[in-house]
Amino acid sequence: MADRDTKVIGEKIMGNLQQYENYVSYDWWTHIDSRNIEGWLQNFENHDNIGKLILDSIIFYNEEQIKSYTRNIVNQLKSEVYEREMRLLNGKYHDDDYFDGKWKKYKEAIRVIPADAEDRAGGSPHLVARKYRPYLGEEIVVKVDSIQKNIKEGIKEFIFVDDFSGTGKQMSDFLSTLIEIDGEFVPIGKISEYFSDIKVSVAVYVIHKDALERLKEEFRTVRIRYVDLLDERLNLLSYDCITYKGKSQDEIQEIIDYLSEIRTKLIEEQPDYQKFVEYELHIPIIFEHGCPNNTFIPLYAKTKTWKQLFKRGNEI
């Protein structure tokens, strides 16, 4: 592209970036600045309207939202404890101190564990697990290799955490991991089938419908807790994507063809992106600690010809 053409496109884009600059200045979007947005839109050349369409569809979970979602999961646990006690009391009155005592006792008998069999300290499961410490206690967050010890100590529930489950593959692989308990190898997700008094649950901030259905089918005794439920309507390469509501079939076809071409080119330019293909959902989801495997590749890609917008976790 000629320098003059690049300058014209840049001036055109700069004229209408205020709303995205606000997202950055208000810390709704983090780890980027206005120059990243301008540069990324220039990737689209004369199709910057498609770039802006994608920007408008982004679902960004910033630090404050993550804290709020962590509290939401904790409140789900607390409500379950209170509701169980109300059923046992059968209408009898007890004051708040009674329920607070039951909640304290419950916390003593649970452990929160990053859903990561490889124990990668910088991975999203570990970042998420640490978010629970202010609400549940430092000693409650442990590692996978402590499960056998915890069972012997009388722990009654293991909660495996991560930020997002998209296709469900990573979580399924984790729950299928064999651990040794009393000389017997047991899949993590089947612990309750071997020890009927122990509960196993998964807690994620966001889950895709495909993942939810898969995990429920494969691990029937595992409770799945989440805050947001996503589905195929966020797939930027789907005709049913809500981002394209109001557009004609021809317009949607043109957008999908264009984005598909970009995605294919990026994978060709950067073969490392090939490993994410099996997780792809083509959704515009971003967390403040990085893009998950299921994020639409052009949103985090970085090649010789493509300017990066958001980052993967290992880049932050």
Side-chain angles (χ1 to χ4, degrees):
M1 180 184 295
D3 290 342
R4 180 179 177 279
D5 292 338
T6 302
K7 182 180 179 182
V8 170
I9 291 172
E11 291 174 349
K12 177 183 176 184
I13 291 170
M14 280 297 292
N16 192 25
L17 286 182
Q18 189 60 53
Q19 72 178 89
Y20 311 118
E21 292 174 352
N22 289 341
Y23 296 159
V24 174
S25 62
Y26 298 154
D27 283 336
W28 294 345
W29 290 358
T30 54
H31 302 298
I32 66 169
D33 59 35
S34 299
R35 289 172 299 175
N36 298 129
I37 299 172
E38 179 188 354
W40 185 79
L41 283 173
Q42 287 176 2
N43 292 324
F44 292 84
E45 300 182 345
N46 293 321
H47 293 84
D48 63 286
N49 61 313
I50 296 180
K52 290 176 182 176
L53 194 64
I54 296 175
L55 289 179
D56 290 338
S57 72
I58 286 172
I59 304 170
F60 194 104
Y61 294 91
N62 60 33
E63 185 176 358
E64 288 305 311
Q65 286 173 293
I66 293 299
K67 288 180 181 177
S68 176
Y69 278 41
T70 305
R71 290 194 298 268
N72 185 297
I73 297 291
V74 171
N75 286 335
Q76 289 183 40
L77 297 172
K78 197 170 187 177
S79 293
E80 290 166 16
V81 171
Y82 282 28
E83 288 171 6
R84 182 170 62 248
E85 289 302 317
M86 289 293 288
R87 289 194 300 269
L88 292 173
L89 290 170
N90 197 24
K92 294 180 181 178
Y93 172 78
H94 279 77
D95 59 19
D96 290 343
D97 289 341
Y98 172 85
F99 290 104
D100 289 344
K102 292 295 183 180
W103 171 238
K104 181 179 179 181
K105 187 175 181 180
Y106 170 79
K107 289 192 294 181
E108 292 171 351
I110 67 172
R111 290 294 181 268
V112 171
I113 300 178
D116 179 12
E118 298 179 14
D119 196 22
R120 296 162 294 185
S124 63
H126 294 269
L127 294 173
V128 170
R130 290 196 286 272
K131 302 290 186 184
Y132 284 89
R133 284 177 171 159
Y135 308 103
L136 298 176
E138 289 287 331
E139 72 285 353
I140 285 174
V141 178
V142 298
K143 296 182 179 180
V144 172
D145 58 12
S146 69
I147 291 177
Q148 178 173 229
K149 173 176 171 285
N150 293 151
I151 289 176
K152 290 180 178 179
E153 292 172 344
I155 296 303
K156 296 301 181 184
E157 182 171 354
F158 295 100
I159 305 171
F160 300 104
V161 301
D162 202 350
D163 52 6
F164 178 58
S165 185
T167 62
K169 183 183 185 307
Q170 275 193 319
M171 187 62 73
S172 176
D173 289 347
F174 170 76
L175 294 174
S176 299
T177 302
L178 297 176
I179 57 171
E180 186 175 2
I181 303 177
D182 294 337
E184 195 169 355
F185 287 94
V186 179
I188 290 174
K190 306 284 186 179
I191 290 175
S192 296
E193 297 178 21
Y194 288 79
F195 301 90
S196 59
D197 61 332
I198 295 177
K199 296 179 181 179
V200 172
S201 63
V202 165
V204 292
Y205 300 133
V206 189
I207 194 167
H208 192 278
K209 185 179 178 182
D210 291 351
L212 182 60
E213 292 176 351
R214 174 175 181 169
L215 295 175
K216 282 186 173 181
E217 176 63 28
E218 294 181 2
F219 304 96
R220 296 176 181 272
T221 60
V222 174
R223 172 75 180 273
I224 313 294
R225 296 184 176 92
Y226 58 89
V227 182
D228 285 351
L229 177 65
L230 309 184
D231 59 32
E232 179 68 9
R233 291 173 296 173
L234 293 174
N235 181 349
L236 290 167
L237 298 186
S238 168
Y239 292 100
D240 296 323
C241 182
I242 57 176
T243 298
Y244 310 140
K245 185 176 180 180
K247 296 189 177 299
S248 69
Q249 284 296 312
D250 287 344
E251 288 176 309
I252 295 173
Q253 183 68 62
E254 180 183 350
I255 293 170
I256 291 176
D257 287 347
Y258 180 70
L259 293 178
S260 297
E261 182 181 342
I262 288 175
R263 171 194 166 276
T264 300
K265 182 180 178 182
L266 290 172
I267 294 174
E268 290 173 351
E269 290 184 7
Q270 180 50 269
D272 282 350
Y273 296 148
Q274 184 65 43
K275 64 187 177 184
F276 300 127
V277 169
E278 64 179 320
Y279 302 107
E280 279 187 299
L281 293 170
H282 313 299
I283 55 180
I285 182 173
I286 320 288
F287 287 89
E288 54 92 17
H289 49 264
C291 299
N293 295 338
N294 321 92
T295 300
F296 187 47
I297 288 176
L299 282 169
Y300 62 79
K302 181 181 181 181
T303 72
K304 291 181 179 179
T305 64
W306 188 265
K307 297 176 183 178
Q308 187 177 36
L309 182 57
F310 296 106
K311 298 178 180 179
R312 295 275 298 163
N314 60 358
E315 298 175 300
I316 294 176

